[in-house]
Each structure stands twice: as structure tokens, then as C-alpha cells.
Amino acid sequence: MQKAIDELVRRRAEHVCEYCHFPQPPFHIEHIIARKHGGITIERNLALSCARCNFHKGPNLSGIDPETGATVLLFHPRRDEWKEHFQWRRAVLVGLTPSGRATIKVLEMNHSARIAAREQLILEGLLQVEPDLDFR
């Protein structure tokens, strides 16, 4: 049963991190609501996460919006639409909402090493950013 759930999560995510859209392993099957907060292992509480996003998210459910200082819920891959919360500016992710900005901060999505890795993936054609948002 666990193998079937893992494959469903990977297929649903199209084999990219559901937070930062990084397209290369290692990936983890992540509990969106951590077990320590009562989250259970069912498909609607699981997301495909790159190791870096999973490590930085940990059991966090909220973060501080760096623009407003408000405490907000983090991006939730099962409830939220990615394009409503994030936008590419080449290899940098921009938060469009308080939730998007807080998620970028908590998960350290724009750490210099992540940006450099995404730049390389873009050059190699392994990471696609929307052409109208690609500010070369």
C-alpha cells in the first residue's frame, strides 16, 4: 500500500518538488501537516518535496511574511494553486502573496546555492520558467 501512495504522490507532482519546483532528486514524501501536529499518512496530506525544502519546512505550518510582518500559513500544495503564490524571475522565486513570501523565506528557496543550481538547470533545459516571466 505504501508503495502505491508514494508513486501516486510522485506522479501527481510530475516528479518535481511541489514547493520550489526543483526537478531533480533526492525527493522526499513529505507530510504537509506533520505527524506531530496530527497529520496522517494519506494522499491529501502528502507532497513531493526536494530534500532542501523538506529539511527547511520541517513541521512548520506558518511563517512570517517578510513584507508585512504578519504570521501566515505556509503554501499548502493540496489546497493552494502554485501560480497564485509564486512567480519566476529567471531562477529566483518571487512570492506574490503573504503565504508565498513566507514560504520562500522559511524554506530558504532563494538561497544562493539554490539560485545557482536553478540557473544551471535552466541553461541545460531541465528547468522551464514561463517565457513571459523569464527576465534575462
Side-chain angles (χ1 to χ4, degrees):
M1 181 65 153
Q2 185 63 38
K3 184 175 177 161
I5 290 173
D6 285 1
E7 185 52 38
L8 177 141
V9 170
R10 291 173 193 283
R11 242 187 358 263
R12 178 180 63 202
E14 299 178 357
H15 302 277
V16 300
C17 176
E18 293 188 71
Y19 294 97
C20 74
H21 282 193
F22 200 76
Q24 295 183 329
F27 291 117
H28 298 172
I29 305 294
E30 189 259 341
H31 286 80
I32 300 165
I33 299 174
R35 288 179 282 198
K36 74 186 302 180
H37 295 303
I40 56 177
T41 306
I42 57 174
E43 64 87 15
R44 70 176 179 265
N45 189 45
L46 299 173
L48 191 64
S49 178
C50 69
R52 289 186 61 105
C53 281
N54 189 37
F55 172 76
H56 288 287
K57 180 179 173 286
N60 291 311
L61 299 173
S62 63
I64 308 265
D65 174 7
E67 191 173 296
T68 65
T71 301
V72 298
L73 292 174
L74 296 177
F75 172 77
H76 188 298
R78 299 286 69 77
R79 282 194 318 242
D80 301 328
E81 182 66 36
W82 195 89
K83 288 183 177 188
E84 291 177 11
H85 295 274
F86 305 102
Q87 173 179 316
W88 289 109
R89 287 208 182 124
R90 182 120 180 104
V92 174
L93 276 175
V94 177
L96 302 175
T97 63
S99 177
R101 292 186 296 267
T103 301
I104 288 169
K105 183 176 178 185
V106 171
L107 277 60
E108 295 189 20
M109 292 170 146
N110 286 326
H111 184 278
S112 59
R114 287 182 163 204
I115 292 171
R118 289 193 298 252
E119 283 283 357
Q120 187 61 41
L121 290 170
I122 290 168
L123 289 173
E124 294 172 11
L126 299 173
L127 177 63
Q128 302 298 314
V129 294
E130 295 82 358
D132 56 323
L133 301 176
D134 187 359
F135 302 111
R136 290 181 200 207

